[in-house]
Amino acid sequence: MPPRPPSGSVLTAETLMVRLSEHLKGLAAEVQQVEQVVGSTALRAQLSSQDAIVQLQSLDYLRQSLEDLSVLTMLLARSDEAGVSALQDPVQIRGRMRLGSTKALFDAPLSGHALTTLDIAGSVDLF
């Protein structure tokens, strides 16, 4: 857990976003390690059931989502020399995302309703 800022100092949104990005990156790395263990175990056990494959793909989707969110938070934490937020160019940020579901965050209507049908298509690299 990162240390708290010293008394009297202010935690900025930029610092918090950078920390969040690093945390998400670490979670993605942990999921990737689990993914490799599960994948190699499945190969040794010769799992061929559709359910096992779906579960492995779900784990891969989780990892790729964490990676996308790590990149997204890092980009949002940065501003250019003039102090202009990265949100000034959402098309460029959207282009850095790998998954359709993460890209859909940029396309969704700006209402208070929860997004329920996001496209979860992405590349699968389990083994």
Side-chain angles (χ1 to χ4, degrees):
M1 182 174 213
R4 292 179 153 209
S7 292
S9 69
V10 177
L11 177 64
T12 65
E14 180 180 351
T15 300
L16 185 57
M17 293 291 281
V18 167
R19 289 177 183 176
L20 176 59
S21 176
E22 290 300 316
H23 180 64
L24 290 167
K25 184 178 178 181
L27 290 174
E30 287 183 40
V31 170
Q32 186 173 27
Q33 289 176 347
V34 171
E35 184 180 12
Q36 291 171 351
V37 170
V38 170
S40 64
T41 302
L43 284 175
R44 278 186 266 134
Q46 296 180 353
L47 292 178
S48 61
S49 78
Q50 185 65 23
D51 288 339
I53 292 170
V54 169
Q55 289 175 352
L56 290 172
Q57 288 173 335
S58 174
L59 187 58
D60 184 60
Y61 171 74
L62 175 61
R63 179 187 53 81
Q64 289 185 52
S65 294
L66 288 168
E67 289 171 351
D68 269 3
L69 294 174
S70 174
V71 170
L72 177 58
T73 54
M74 185 58 73
L75 291 172
L76 291 175
R78 294 184 180 156
S79 56
D80 64 14
E81 307 80 45
V84 176
S85 167
L87 276 179
Q88 297 296 320
D89 191 3
V91 173
Q92 181 183 7
I93 295 174
R94 185 185 189 282
R96 300 267 313 262
M97 302 296 101
R98 292 176 59 187
L99 296 176
S101 58
T102 314
K103 290 179 181 183
L105 295 172
F106 292 87
D107 304 333
L110 296 175
S111 68
H113 302 291
L115 302 175
T116 56
T117 56
L118 295 178
D119 174 25
I120 62 169
S123 62
V124 177
D125 50 345
L126 286 175
F127 309 106

